Structures are given as C-alpha cells and as structure tokens.
Amino acid sequence: MSHHIVEVKQLRHVYPDGTEALRDVSFRIHHGESVAIIGANGAGKSTLLLHLNGYLPATSGTIRIGDHPLSKETLNEIRRTVGMVFQDPDDQLFMPTVFDDVAFGPLNQGLTPALIEQRVTDALERVEARELRNKPPYHLSGGEKKRVAIATVLSMLPEILVLDEPTAGLDPRARRQLMALLQDFHHTRIITSHDLDMVLELCERTIVLHQGMVMADGPTLEIFGNETLLAACHLEKPFSMQGCPVCSPKAIRRLPKPQPPLVPPHGDRQHDHAHHLHDHDHHDH
Amino acid sequence: MSHHIVEVKQLRHVYPDGTEALRDVSFRIHHGESVAIIGANGAGKSTLLLHLNGYLPATSGTIRIGDHPLSKETLNEIRRTVGMVFQDPDDQLFMPTVFDDVAFGPLNQGLTPALIEQRVTDALERVEARELRNKPPYHLSGGEKKRVAIATVLSMLPEILVLDEPTAGLDPRARRQLMALLQDFHHTRIITSHDLDMVLELCERTIVLHQGMVMADGPTLEIFGNETLLAACHLEKPFSMQGCPVCSPKAIRRLPKPQPPLVPPHGDRQHDHAHHLHDHDHHDH
Amino acid sequence: MLAIDGTLFDFKRLDLLAMRESAVHRLDPRAKVLTTLVFIVCVVSFGRYELAAMLPFCLFPIALLALGDLPAGYIARKVLVVIPFAVMVGLFNPLFDRQVILQLGPLGIWGGWLSCLSIVVRALLTAAAAIVLVAVTGFPAICVALEQLGMPRVFAVQLLFLYRYIFVLTDEGGRVARARQLRSCGNKGMGLRHFGPLLGHLLLRTWERAERIHMAMLARGFTGEMHARRRGRFGAGDVLFVLGWSALFVTFRLYNFPQLLGMLLLGS
Amino acid sequence: MHMADALLSPAVGGAMLAATAGTIAWCSSRVPRDLDEYKVPLMGVLGAFVFAAQMINFAIPGTGSSGHIGGGLLLAILLGPHAAFLTIASVLFIQALFFADGGLLALGCNIFNLGFFQTFIAYPLIYRRLAGRQPRQSRLVLAAIVAGVVGLQLAAFAVVLETTASGISALPFKAFVLLMQPIHLAIGVIEGLATAAIIAFVHRARPELVESTLAGRPLGSLPIRGMLAAFALAAVLLGGVVSWFASTQPDGLEWAIAKVTGDTELPAPAHPLHHTLAAIQEKLAIFPGDTGQSGSPAPDNPAGRIDNGLPGLIGGLVTLATAVLTGLLLRSCARRA
Ligand SMILES: Nc1ncnc2c1ncn2[C@@H]1O[C@H](COP(=O)(O)OP(=O)(O)OP(=O)(O)O)[C@@H](O)[C@H]1O
Ligand SMILES: Nc1ncnc2c1ncn2[C@@H]1O[C@H](COP(=O)(O)OP(=O)(O)OP(=O)(O)O)[C@@H](O)[C@H]1O
Ligand SMILES: [Mg+2]
Ligand SMILES: [Mg+2]
C-alpha cells in the first residue's frame, strides 16, 4: 500500500506578488503517521498544505501522493485521497444543510444515492453529529461547525487527513473532543497548529518550518526539547513542558532574548529520520 | 480617580431572537486591575464585553464606568474611556495606511494635527510598530496587525483596555510580545480568552462565565485549582499546570467525565472578593 | 448598527420556523410556490378602487399560519413593516383623486382614499403571502422548487450561496462597522474618504473568502457542475392543494363576497 | 426605489417578470461560458457582500443624512455584466421574500430597474468607455459617477413608466417624473462616488482583482450589443428630454403644488399617456376591472357611479372575522393532530 505515502521534494512556491513562501521543503510521510507542521506566522504552513492536494501549483519541486506524482491527470484521484479541513469551517460548509454538505464530496464522486446516504450517516456518526443532519450550517456553534467540517471530508473516505489549525477558537472541552476524534482516525494525519500542546498529544513526529524552509524534522519530544531551535523559529515549548508556574513561580517570563544563529538541517536529514523511525513499517520506498 | 472603576450589576442581555446570552452578571473591577473573563464557546464573553462600552444595550441591569452610569448622554465619554480591541484585527483596521488608522480615533475627537501626530507616534511606539506607519494594514502579518489594532485604541488614551481573545492565531513569539505589551499597560485591562496560560500569566483575577452567569470570581490561581468548577464550565487547567506532577499527576488527560452539578456562587461573592482583594486601593466604593 | 442584528435575526428566525414539522411544511415546495403565485396575481388584479372584495384573500395566509403553527404576532409584525412603503406610494392618491365615489351613510369617500387604502391592503396581502411562504417552506427549498419549475441551475446555485453567506458576511460587516463606530465618537455616517477604504477592506475579505470556498469545493471533487439534489415527489395531496386554493382564489376574484354578505345582512 | 406589488397591474408586472426571467436565462447560459467555475462561490459571496455593504452608511455631504450603496455598478465592474445581473437579481429576490421589500410580482420590475440598467447599459456603454483599461483616479471617479447617474436615471424613469402604465397610483406622469428624476440624480452621484472609492481602494490593494475582469470580454457577440446601444441611447434621450422638459415647464410643478396646498379645484384629466396605457392595461388585464360582479366602478369612470359602501364595509368586517376564526380553528386542529 505505497499509495499512502506523502513525499515532497524540494518544493518551492512563489506567490504572484513575489513573496517566496516556500523556499525548499522536502519530507516524506508514511502511512498512518501523525505529523505536525509548526512554525511562526507566515512560515509557509498553510501554503504547504495547499500544495498537498494540488490547489496551489508548485513553482518548482515535486509532490508524490502514493503512486501518483501530482499532475493535472492525477489531480482528481489525489483530491479524493487527501481530505483537507480548513481553519475556518465557514469556508468549508457552503451547502444549505449539513446533509447536503457532507454529501457534496460523495456526490461529486458519482456514487449511488444509497451509498451516499450510508457515507453521510457514517461520517456524521464518527464526529458524533447525527442529530445535526438536517440543520443549516449557519445555525451551528463553532465546535459543531468544526466537527461537521471534518465529517464533510471523512465522507470521501480520504486516506490522508490534512488539517489547518484545527483547534483555533475552540474552548478547552471542544478542543478535547476534537483531539479525541483525531486520535481515533487511523490513517495519515498532517496537522498545522500554534497549539503545541495539542501537537505534543497527537503527533509523534514534527516538522518545523521557518521562512519557507524545513528547519527540523523528527520526533516531537526531541524537537520540543531543543530550546535553541524553537527560539530561532519563533516558537517555544508547549506550556505543559514549560514548568508549572504554581510550583516553580518564576511565573512571569518575558520575551526570549535575541537568538543565536541556527544551522539548517543537513541535506537529507528528514529522509534518514523517516527511515530509522519507521523501520517497522511495511511500505516499499 | 474613581472614574476607572467598572461596575456591572445584574446585567442581563437577551438577543432579539430570544437567546439569553447574559442572565445575571455582576462584578466590580478597580483601577489598574487585570481581569480575565473565561468560559466555554457561547458562554457570553463577547456579549459582555460589548456592553462595557455601550455597544449593546442592557436588557436589564446597570453598568457604571467610573463616575458615569452608562446612558445615552455619557456614551461618547465612555467610549473614549473604554478602548476595545476585537479578536480579528481585520475588523479593526479599515483605513488605507496604518497612520490613518491609528489617527482615526483622535481625528474624531477633534484634536489638532500636531496633537494627533503625537498621539499616533506615541501609540505606535508603545506597540513597537513605528516602522509600519506608512504601510497599508492589509499587507501586514497577523502579529503586526494585532499590534496596530491595539495602537488604534491606545491612541485614544483609553483608561480601560478591553480585549477579546487577543492571542488567537498568533505564533508563540508574537503571543509573548503581545503579552509583554499588555503587561506594560498600567491601566485597567479586561481580557477574554481561551488561552488560559496567558490568563495565568497576565491576570491576577479571573471571572468564570457559564451560560450567561458568573460561576466564579476570584484570584486566578484559586480558580484554576478548582477542577470541579472548571470541568462544569467546559474548561480545564492551563496546560502549564497540567503537566506539573504536583498540580496534576496524570499528564495526558482525556475527555472530562460527566460533570457533577455545580453550586452557583452565593449572592454577592464577587463583591466581597473585590473588597478584600483590594483593601489596599484608594477607590471609594 | 443594531439594525444589522435585527436584520440577521429576521433571517434566522424565519429560517428556523421553516424547520418545524406540520402538514403544510411537508407539502412539496413547488405546490406552495405555485399557489402563492396564483394568489398574488389574483390579488393584484383587482381594480384600483376595490377594497372589500380583496378581504376574503386573507384566508390563505391565515390558514397557512394556523396549519403551520407559526407565531402570529411575529409574522404580523413582519408584514406590517410594509405599511409605510405602501402609504408612501398611495399618499398622493387622495391629493389627486377627490371624486366622491363611495357613500358610507352620510360620509362621502373620495376615490383617492379608497385607492390608497386598496394599495395598503394589497401590499399587506402580498407581503403576508410571501413571508408565510418562506416560513413554511424555507429558502433553500424554495430555490430547489424554482429550479425544478425551470429556473436556470446557475441562478439557483447563486441564490443558495448568497443565502448561505449572508449570515457570515453581514456578521463581518457588522464587526467592521462596530469598530468604526466605537472610535468615531458619535459621528453617525462617515465621509467618503473613510467609507471607500472600509468597504474596500470588506470587499477584499469577501473575495478571499470566496477563494477559500472555491478551494474547499475543489478539495471535495468539484469539477464545475453542481449535482442535482434529491427530488421530492409531487403527490396527489400537492395537486389538491394547488387546485383547491386556486379555485378558491378565482371564485373570490370573480364574486365580491363581502359585498354580497353585507347586502344579505342589511337585508337590501 | 423598490416598487411594491401594490403599485402594479398584473399585466405590467407579468410582462416585466417575463423580461427579467428571459434576461436571467440568457445570463445563466453565458456565465459558465465566459467565466470559470470559480465564479460560483464568488458571485454568491459578493452578493452577500452587497447585503452587508448596504448596512454601512456614509454621510451624504451637506445634508446631515446618510445613505448606502446599491451595488449594481460595483458588481458589474468586478464580475462583468452577466454575472453581476444574476447576483443583483438574487439579492433582490431575497429582499423581496424576507423583507417584503418590493413583492414577488414586482420582482421583475425591480430586478430589471436596478439590475439591467446598471449592468448592461451603465457599465459596458459608459463606465468602460470612460474608464478605459488602466484608469487613473480622476477618470475612474468620473466614469463611475456618470455611469451611476445614467443607470439610476434610467431606473427611475422606468419606475415612472411602469407605475403609470399600471394605473394604480394616481400621481400624474409629469409630477411623478419631476419627483423621481432629480432625487435619483443625487443618489446616482453618490452611488458613483462610493463605487469609485471602493474600486480605487481595491485597485491599490489587489490590482489583479480589478484588472482581470476589466480585461475580460464584457458583452459577447454583436447583435445584442448593437441592440442595447440603440435602446440605451433612446432611453437616455427619452429620459433626459422628458425630465428636462418637465422641469422647464413650471406649470406641472405649480399644479402639483397647488394640489398639495389644498386648492379645491377639480383634478385635471389624467395625462393622455396615462389614458392610453390604462386602456392597454384594461385589455391585457387578466380580470378586467369592470367585471360586473365585482361591484366597484371601473378605474377610469369613477364619476359614473356612487356606490353605497355600507354593505361592503360590514361584509368586509364579517369576512375578516371569519378568516381569523377559521385560522384559530385550523390551528387548534393542527395542534391536536
Ligand atoms: N495569496 C498570497 N499572495 C501573496 N503572498 C501570500 C499569499 N498568501 C500568503 N502569502 C505570504 O506567504 C507567506 C506564507 O503564508 P502562509 O499563509 O503559508 O503562512 P502560515 O505559516 O500559514 O502562517 P499563519 O500561522 O499565520 O497561518 C507569508 O509571508 C504570507 O504573507
Ligand atoms: N447577534 C446575535 N444574535 C443572537 N444570538 C447571539 C448573537 N450573538 C451571539 N449570540 C448567542 O449568544 C450566546 C453568547 O455568545 P458570545 O458571542 O457572547 O459567546 P462567547 O462567550 O464570546 O463565545 P466564543 O468563545 O465562541 O467567542 C451564544 O449562544 C450565541 O449563539
Ligand atoms: Mg496559516
Ligand atoms: Mg467571543
């Protein structure tokens, strides 16, 4: 089942106005991995995600989803494989009812009504939103919208789930529910977020982007242990690793000091990493 | 200078469609306090903030800002006193350049050009955004927009700063910068947020809203120590307290279990609290 | 700017009413749309001085209101909103048309007053029919019905999208307006110098949102064609509904029942 | 500006509804052709933008009052005429259904008046001509103002024609023209100014948005274009001449003022145009006004009969009461079921 691999090679993207959002991004993600992509505002996270299902064309570099290199011919196939959830669910829920919205993808796949019905029911079941089925999306609360947005993607049976800042704006309980939902999804997940505590809980692997380049790629715990790296990328440790302000009351920290220069990861580091991290898996490389 | 007190008494707000967003909210905030208002999605936080500068009229109950009870006559005066920063800076920045935007408030106050110039310079200085002065706001990054949005309010010399989810969508470094900025503001601050770690660092006092009612009002640390209360209000401890073996031994928690019923705070609790917390201050009650 | 909240509230409330369950709600939307059209044509086809003859028509909105279990007070308030417009339109009639054409006991009534009142009554009737139609059918269903009745697909999709995003964008517009208002120290309107950029900002955001929606559609396999939704069956009950009401409307149109009734009661 | 159902006869309303439906069908067939599928969400969301924009007011200079944009011209500039017409039509449709702003029968008139003239005449024939490809600020403003004024003048004149042809309002043609045209002159200037301000801003911020549509083909092939041009010219001439004529003939105005101030003189016979149109309407009307059974006099010979209105009044009240009672009865039945 090599078709669940996501491979990005020397990806570069320049926006029409000249902004070089991605300079040189390479990584390889295997089936079933849960990978976080983190970085400062403007690091290029959203831009990267939009390449994964071919919405933005690469200025140079290649993307492979499973057996298919991304190209015009494979675009539809790849969009079926990669399910993308945007940050703002209002962008994703555009049909008059939740049912229509969740059925939109399967309808475009040309399924029979009975099959569509089943897909919708299953997807809503997975996100615990059965009872919302006939409601119009604009009457839902923020957390409900988020769950339905995920259902719209699940109903297409994606093999890879891509989420852009899934927990933004949610209260702690809704965030927990969403995280539990993502934990139960057993295919590949690629998540960007500023919520590093969520990353710590959900993703075993983290890729750090900085100014359009991969600065680090490795096990999440290792990355969050490297304070120099984090500071250089405008990041900081997840709060749960920062030490309890109650127990160790240097509670109020100030701005990090100017950062020491950082050595970019050497050549193929991420590939090496992927190899030894996933020795146990059964993919052909 | 009693005019920096914010007093809300039995505030109730019913939206035209019958949603009872605020049922019974009372509290009193003194000069220089930094108070967080937290609660689940839909608890009524934003609705409450919109009352503090008279944007929404109370269905019943009263609001006092300093010497003035909020009414039609005092509205302009109060809007000058209370500076409000919205969650999404795009809502707040609508002029062609940063300068124009920051000058918009002072201009409407009818100041002289020299005075306006000075106000703008000062405000931009405070948020470290001098160099953005002539840029158009729509080309700024998220963090920069946020800072300019705060400058637009600072330039009106508010005595009370009200912020709705100031850290949403910011990367860790921009968040730190913003927090440092807020820490340097020495007037009253009222902040809503789902970022409880920021609350822990910035606010000595926290008010918990739940379904339009004040469920708790007291020192932040005390509130975050009360797990039953937090769970009942769909909240959880700040992450920096969750990992701490002293404060909560089991690092990775899952969904909270069904909550035990909660006793609402007795009668005037928040007032009592305010009294003994601020015995040292010089306000007349 | 509270007007924005009020407006949105009207939308939301009517939309929620349409989600109720009742016999009228279950009728095929096409039946309700067609019947409403027949109703409107009959009402507006009355002559300019006719008043009493139009009154039986209020049976239709009232019946739907009752069967659909709609809140009468709320619908009435919404319908009454048209009165100022109608009065504005009919205001000139009494000025220009002072022929006495009706004798009410000792009182001679000018044609102008009669036609002015007639304008108000027909405005109320047609507005009531339209609003009740939305309240028992729901806007998306009306769009689908119209599409099935021959409206171009592009237009139907446009209506649905528009409806969906009115909530989102009026909300955004409201927040921008609010931010401006809070910093403008009581100045009501704003000069063009501020108005242009402000709406320009809103427009840019609108545009970017449209781009994101388009992305979301593409991501779910959209290839430029909106697929047909499920079609309901147009059953015997629906046929009966259309024909029954239409027959009644035509009868009401041809015979002035109040006049006959009044004559009967007065024994003349 | 929105006409109400109550003002229109079924013949006029129906004819305009048909004309509008035809235009919608035509635009619908064109939109997928000249625009990519991306326009689907774009049109919908921009329609919603017009809704939102109409809620934000700006001060009208020197009057102390405030107004908002209509949006037709702006949409035409951003989307091109076909898509803009569909968008405006959808906005008006929702306003008619939810706010009783205008009515369903009047929808044809309203869409035509507020959509057609702005998108198919003011935009392609005036705005594009005057603005050119890369307009400088001053030309943009000029083009937008002229286009805004012409579009709205035509619309206002159409309202007058449609109302007069329907014969429900008693306002004489001349007085009506005199009332409508000058008011909408001011509104048109404002619409143009506001549109120019918005476009200028967007042009600075995201030039590619405006340029891409400006570069697009505005109107397809020839015959329609020629037809429209001729029609537009005729309409402009007619509108301009009539309103100029009306304003230089003070007698019309004096006469109207005399009426307003309570001069008891009997009304002058209605304008001849009104007679003609009313006669046409009489023929077209589905249920002509003088069917014997209806018990009311025909619109145009009121002097002929003086009715005793008492039976109508009493019967009407009884009818109303019956309807309400029926409603209550039905409701209790529905609730029990
Ligand atoms: N449509 C666009 N045109 C030009 N530049 C763009 C566009 N979209 C994004 N950019 C720029 O590209 C860079 C990367 O943007 P991107 O949205 O990918 O950042 P991000 O990592 O997702 O940031 P955030 O955490 O704020 O979401 C930024 O400098 C941004 O300003
Ligand atoms: N304009 C409105 N009309 C009707 N109901 C509204 C309106 N605005 C908010 N509400 C409702 O009022 C309640 C409180 O909303 P509010 O926005 O104050 O919540 P919040 O605490 O700010 O939530 P969040 O954390 O998601 O921002 C919610 O139930 C919401 O649905
Ligand atoms: Mg992003
Ligand atoms: Mg809020």
Side-chain angles (χ1 to χ4, degrees):
Chain A
M1 299 224 303
S2 73
H3 61 284
H4 298 158
I5 287 183
V6 176
E7 189 180 56
V8 172
K9 263 195 192 150
Q10 296 177 313
L11 183 64
R12 187 162 170 269
H13 186 85
V14 182
Y15 277 107
D17 67 350
T19 312
E20 203 179 356
L22 298 176
R23 282 159 212 263
D24 175 16
V25 174
S26 307
F27 56 78
R28 186 184 172 101
I29 293 174
H30 294 269
H31 176 65
E33 269 194 290
S34 170
V35 179
I37 297 177
I38 64 175
N41 291 127
K45 303 181 295 297
S46 302
T47 308
L48 174 58
L49 294 196
L50 290 178
H51 279 82
L52 296 186
N53 66 359
Y55 184 78
L56 287 179
T59 304
S60 71
T62 56
I63 294 167
R64 262 185 107 80
I65 309 287
D67 303 321
H68 311 289
L70 206 152
S71 70
K72 248 205 149 59
E73 294 76 48
T74 59
L75 205 58
N76 279 335
E77 177 58 27
I78 281 180
R79 287 193 177 148
R80 196 164 309 182
T81 316
V82 180
M84 178 111 173
V85 180
F86 293 93
Q87 177 177 346
D88 187 348
D90 273 323
D91 294 334
Q92 194 134 8
L93 305 175
F94 44 76
M95 299 292 285
T97 70
V98 167
F99 180 92
D100 288 323
D101 237 321
V102 180
F104 185 87
L107 251 169
N108 280 320
Q109 295 178 349
L111 302 183
T112 63
L115 213 53
I116 290 178
E117 172 65 37
Q118 200 202 321
R119 288 267 193 102
V120 173
T121 312
D122 283 356
L124 287 176
E125 200 92 9
R126 293 268 296 272
V127 300
E128 302 184 39
R130 255 146 299 143
E131 68 290 354
L132 302 179
R133 174 183 177 103
N134 292 315
K135 288 207 176 174
Y138 34 88
H139 290 313
L140 303 182
S141 82
E144 288 171 338
K145 275 186 191 168
K146 208 90 187 194
R147 284 191 305 207
V148 173
I150 293 180
T152 63
V153 167
L154 291 185
S155 69
M156 298 179 73
L157 303 186
E159 275 140 10
I160 297 159
L161 198 57
V162 174
L163 302 105
D164 201 351
E165 314 212 9
T167 55
L170 295 185
D171 68 37
R173 157 126 88 181
R175 173 175 168 278
R176 279 275 157 217
Q177 286 181 327
L178 184 69
M179 281 165 60
L181 175 78
L182 293 178
Q183 212 126 36
D184 290 346
F185 183 79
H186 289 298
H187 295 292
T188 311
R189 278 146 293 166
I190 303 177
I191 302 175
T192 75
S193 190
H194 295 301
D195 178 354
L196 302 184
D197 293 273
M198 176 197 64
V199 168
L200 190 61
E201 290 197 25
L202 283 189
C203 305
E204 66 263 30
R205 176 175 164 202
T206 294
I207 296 173
V208 182
L209 277 193
H210 185 57
Q211 299 182 348
M213 294 197 291
V214 175
M215 284 310 242
D217 179 351
T220 302
L221 275 175
E222 213 168 82
I223 296 219
F224 286 155
N226 184 343
E227 298 226 19
T228 341
L229 170 77
L230 291 179
C233 298
H234 298 195
L235 299 171
E236 54 181 50
K237 279 186 184 181
F239 304 120
S240 47
M241 286 173 72
Q242 281 182 13
C244 176
V246 183
C247 302
S248 53
K250 57 158 189 74
I252 295 184
R253 301 177 359 144
R254 299 304 301 271
L255 264 176
K257 293 284 153 294
Q259 296 82 32
L262 186 94
V263 195
H266 57 83
D268 253 353
R269 202 195 131 167
Q270 53 274 41
H271 286 225
D272 296 346
H273 158 69
H275 275 281
H276 64 74
L277 193 73
H278 295 279
D279 280 344
H280 61 279
D281 70 32
H282 52 286
H283 308 297
D284 45 280
H285 291 192
Chain B
M1 297 233 299
S2 72
H3 61 285
H4 297 159
I5 287 181
V6 176
E7 188 180 57
V8 172
K9 264 194 192 152
Q10 296 177 316
L11 182 64
R12 187 162 169 268
H13 186 84
V14 182
Y15 277 108
D17 65 350
T19 311
E20 204 178 355
L22 298 175
R23 284 159 210 263
D24 175 15
V25 174
S26 305
F27 56 79
R28 188 185 171 100
I29 293 174
H30 295 269
H31 177 64
E33 268 193 289
S34 170
V35 178
I37 297 177
I38 64 175
N41 290 127
K45 304 181 296 296
S46 302
T47 308
L48 174 58
L49 293 197
L50 289 176
H51 279 83
L52 296 185
N53 58 7
Y55 183 79
L56 287 178
T59 305
S60 70
T62 56
I63 293 167
R64 263 186 106 82
I65 308 288
D67 302 322
H68 311 289
L70 206 152
S71 71
K72 248 204 148 57
E73 294 75 50
T74 59
L75 204 58
N76 279 335
E77 177 58 28
I78 281 181
R79 286 190 179 157
R80 199 163 308 181
T81 315
V82 180
M84 174 110 177
V85 181
F86 293 98
Q87 175 178 345
D88 187 347
D90 277 323
D91 292 334
Q92 197 131 10
L93 304 175
F94 47 78
M95 298 292 285
T97 71
V98 167
F99 179 91
D100 288 330
D101 232 323
V102 180
F104 184 87
L107 248 170
N108 278 309
Q109 292 178 349
L111 302 183
T112 62
L115 214 52
I116 289 177
E117 171 64 37
Q118 199 202 323
R119 288 269 193 101
V120 174
T121 314
D122 283 356
L124 287 177
E125 201 91 12
R126 293 270 293 275
V127 299
E128 302 183 38
R130 256 146 299 142
E131 68 289 356
L132 301 179
R133 190 184 165 96
N134 293 316
K135 288 207 175 173
Y138 39 86
H139 284 331
L140 303 182
S141 82
E144 288 171 340
K145 276 186 191 166
K146 205 87 186 196
R147 285 191 304 207
V148 173
I150 294 180
T152 63
V153 166
L154 290 185
S155 69
M156 298 177 74
L157 301 187
E159 275 140 7
I160 296 160
L161 200 55
V162 174
L163 301 108
D164 201 350
E165 315 211 9
T167 55
L170 295 186
D171 67 38
R173 157 125 90 179
R175 172 175 169 280
R176 279 279 156 217
Q177 285 181 327
L178 183 68
M179 281 165 59
L181 173 79
L182 292 179
Q183 211 124 39
D184 290 345
F185 183 79
H186 289 298
H187 293 294
T188 311
R189 279 145 293 164
I190 303 177
I191 302 175
T192 75
S193 191
H194 295 302
D195 178 355
L196 302 184
D197 294 273
M198 175 197 65
V199 168
L200 191 62
E201 292 198 21
L202 281 189
C203 306
E204 66 264 28
R205 176 177 163 200
T206 295
I207 297 174
V208 181
L209 277 194
H210 185 58
Q211 299 182 347
M213 294 197 289
V214 175
M215 283 311 240
D217 179 349
T220 302
L221 278 176
E222 213 168 83
I223 295 217
F224 286 156
N226 185 343
E227 298 227 15
T228 339
L229 170 77
L230 291 178
C233 298
H234 298 195
L235 299 171
E236 54 182 49
K237 279 186 182 181
F239 305 121
S240 48
M241 285 171 75
Q242 282 181 19
C244 174
V246 183
C247 294
S248 60
K250 44 182 180 59
I252 296 188
R253 297 168 7 134
R254 298 301 301 268
L255 264 176
K257 294 281 152 299
Q259 296 82 33
L262 188 96
V263 195
H266 56 84
D268 254 352
R269 202 195 133 168
Q270 53 274 39
H271 285 222
D272 296 345
H273 157 70
H275 276 280
H276 63 75
L277 193 73
H278 296 277
D279 282 341
H280 61 279
D281 70 32
H282 52 287
H283 307 298
D284 44 286
H285 290 197
Chain C
M1 276 330 137
L2 280 173
I4 298 178
D5 291 332
T7 309
L8 273 187
F9 147 65
D10 274 345
F11 265 125
K12 285 192 180 160
R13 178 121 189 230
L14 269 182
D15 208 60
L16 289 174
L17 287 178
M19 283 157 57
R20 292 191 178 183
E21 271 293 313
S22 81
V24 248
H25 281 88
R26 279 190 294 274
L27 282 172
D28 189 298
R30 280 170 288 180
K32 289 179 268 186
V33 169
L34 283 176
T35 312
T36 306
L37 285 178
V38 175
F39 173 88
I40 288 175
V41 168
C42 286
V43 167
V44 298
S45 70
F46 277 102
R48 124 150 80 135
Y49 297 113
E50 291 182 86
L51 191 56
M54 279 194 278
L55 295 180
F57 280 86
C58 70
L59 187 66
F60 177 64
I62 289 179
L64 288 197
L65 192 91
L67 288 171
D69 200 12
L70 306 177
Y74 165 69
I75 299 285
R77 243 175 297 129
K78 274 204 68 78
V79 172
L80 290 181
V81 170
V82 303
I83 287 189
F85 295 104
V87 167
M88 224 159 61
V89 162
L91 198 62
F92 293 101
N93 290 12
L95 292 175
F96 291 113
D97 181 356
R98 297 185 170 187
Q99 193 93 19
V100 172
I101 61 161
L102 192 71
Q103 204 65 43
L104 207 61
L107 218 61
I109 307 257
W110 292 345
W113 286 116
L114 208 56
S115 60
C116 175
L117 213 58
S118 167
I119 287 179
V120 172
V121 168
R122 61 181 86 202
L124 287 179
L125 282 175
T126 49
I131 285 167
V132 167
L133 172 70
V134 177
V136 296
T137 315
F139 187 75
I142 292 179
C143 292
V144 175
L146 287 174
E147 192 200 332
Q148 288 166 349
L149 291 172
M151 186 168 73
R153 165 77 54 86
V154 182
F155 192 58
V157 170
Q158 158 67 11
L159 282 170
L160 288 175
F161 258 101
L162 170 64
Y163 191 66
R164 168 69 183 84
Y165 282 98
I166 280 178
F167 296 96
V168 177
L169 280 179
T170 41
D171 203 45
E172 278 184 15
R175 286 199 306 265
V176 175
R178 185 189 285 165
R180 190 200 69 82
Q181 201 188 350
L182 291 180
R183 280 195 280 151
S184 64
C185 302
N187 305 349
K188 267 253 150 42
M190 74 192 98
L192 259 179
R193 212 172 71 77
H194 301 159
F195 182 78
L198 185 124
L199 276 196
H201 269 289
L202 197 58
L203 182 60
L204 288 184
R205 297 173 60 181
T206 304
W207 199 286
E208 277 160 17
R209 183 175 289 279
E211 283 173 345
R212 291 197 302 270
I213 297 163
H214 182 231
M215 261 185 243
M217 293 174 80
L218 285 184
R220 282 195 270 154
F222 179 69
T223 50
E225 198 193 331
M226 291 303 262
H227 289 273
R229 298 154 43 90
R230 301 141 288 151
R231 279 160 195 264
R233 267 189 54 245
F234 199 85
D238 300 312
V239 176
L240 209 67
F241 182 84
V242 177
L243 292 184
W245 278 110
S246 301
L248 197 62
F249 295 153
V250 172
T251 321
F252 283 160
R253 179 61 189 85
L254 294 178
Y255 299 93
N256 186 343
F257 281 99
Q259 185 85 23
L260 297 177
L261 192 66
M263 279 168 23
L264 206 69
L265 287 176
L266 292 178
S268 55
Chain D
M1 193 70 198
H2 290 24
M3 297 177 75
D5 278 352
L7 263 188
L8 289 169
S9 67
V12 175
M16 294 306 291
L17 214 50
T20 303
T23 317
I24 287 180
W26 175 59
C27 289
S28 299
S29 70
R30 309 258 349 161
V31 162
R33 245 196 299 158
D34 33 280
L35 313 160
D36 60 321
E37 88 278 29
Y38 164 50
K39 280 275 153 57
V40 173
L42 189 57
M43 282 164 56
V45 175
L46 281 181
F49 164 77
V50 168
F51 249 88
Q54 289 186 346
M55 292 170 178
I56 300 177
N57 288 340
F58 61 87
I60 297 175
T63 59
S65 63
S66 59
H68 59 74
I69 64 160
L73 185 59
L74 182 69
L75 288 177
I77 296 173
L78 292 172
L79 289 169
H82 303 97
F85 184 82
L86 287 184
T87 309
I88 279 289
S90 64
V91 169
L92 289 169
F93 185 59
I94 285 189
Q95 285 176 342
L97 274 180
F98 282 80
F99 301 105
D101 225 356
L104 290 183
L105 188 75
L107 196 57
C109 293
N110 285 327
I111 293 177
F112 200 84
N113 299 347
L114 294 171
F116 186 86
F117 297 115
Q118 301 275 358
T119 56
F120 285 111
I121 293 177
Y123 168 69
L125 302 178
I126 295 173
Y127 179 84
R128 279 180 62 93
R129 289 284 154 77
L130 289 182
R133 277 287 154 96
Q134 250 113 33
R136 276 180 300 118
Q137 179 85 7
S138 51
R139 273 192 66 186
L140 185 90
V141 172
L142 178 77
I145 290 182
V146 177
V149 167
V150 171
L152 222 60
Q153 285 296 301
L154 290 174
F157 191 63
V159 169
V160 175
L161 282 183
E162 287 151 5
T163 311
T164 316
S166 292
I168 308 285
S169 165
L171 198 61
F173 177 76
K174 215 191 260 176
F176 204 178
V177 166
L178 219 58
L179 214 65
M180 291 290 282
Q181 304 302 109
I183 291 178
H184 286 94
L185 191 70
I187 300 178
V189 172
I190 302 274
E191 168 97 23
L193 275 174
T195 304
I198 297 169
I199 294 291
F201 176 83
V202 177
H203 207 285
R204 235 175 299 130
R206 293 274 303 273
E208 78 277 7
L209 295 191
V210 188
E211 272 154 19
S212 65
T213 27
L214 266 187
R217 308 127 287 172
L219 283 174
S221 39
L222 299 166
I224 292 156
R225 188 187 187 125
M227 209 177 73
L228 279 181
F231 179 59
L233 200 66
V236 171
L237 281 179
L238 196 63
V241 168
V242 168
S243 55
W244 175 80
F245 190 71
S247 61
T248 50
Q249 294 278 308
D251 61 336
L253 188 59
E254 274 170 12
W255 176 79
I257 291 171
K259 289 289 136 201
V260 174
T261 50
D263 186 357
T264 48
E265 187 189 333
L266 276 177
H271 195 277
L273 179 62
H274 178 235
H275 268 303
T276 333
L277 289 168
I280 296 170
Q281 185 235 334
E282 207 71 16
K283 292 210 179 62
L284 289 179
I286 299 174
F287 303 105
D290 57 353
T291 41
Q293 302 95 319
S294 67
S296 288
D300 283 301
N301 53 346
R305 290 149 60 166
I306 296 182
D307 269 13
N308 182 350
L310 214 50
L313 182 69
I314 291 180
L317 289 179
V318 174
T319 310
L320 274 184
T322 316
V324 171
L325 273 179
T326 317
L328 290 176
L329 213 68
L330 283 174
R331 163 160 298 187
S332 68
C333 289
R335 282 201 176 146
R336 237 177 295 128

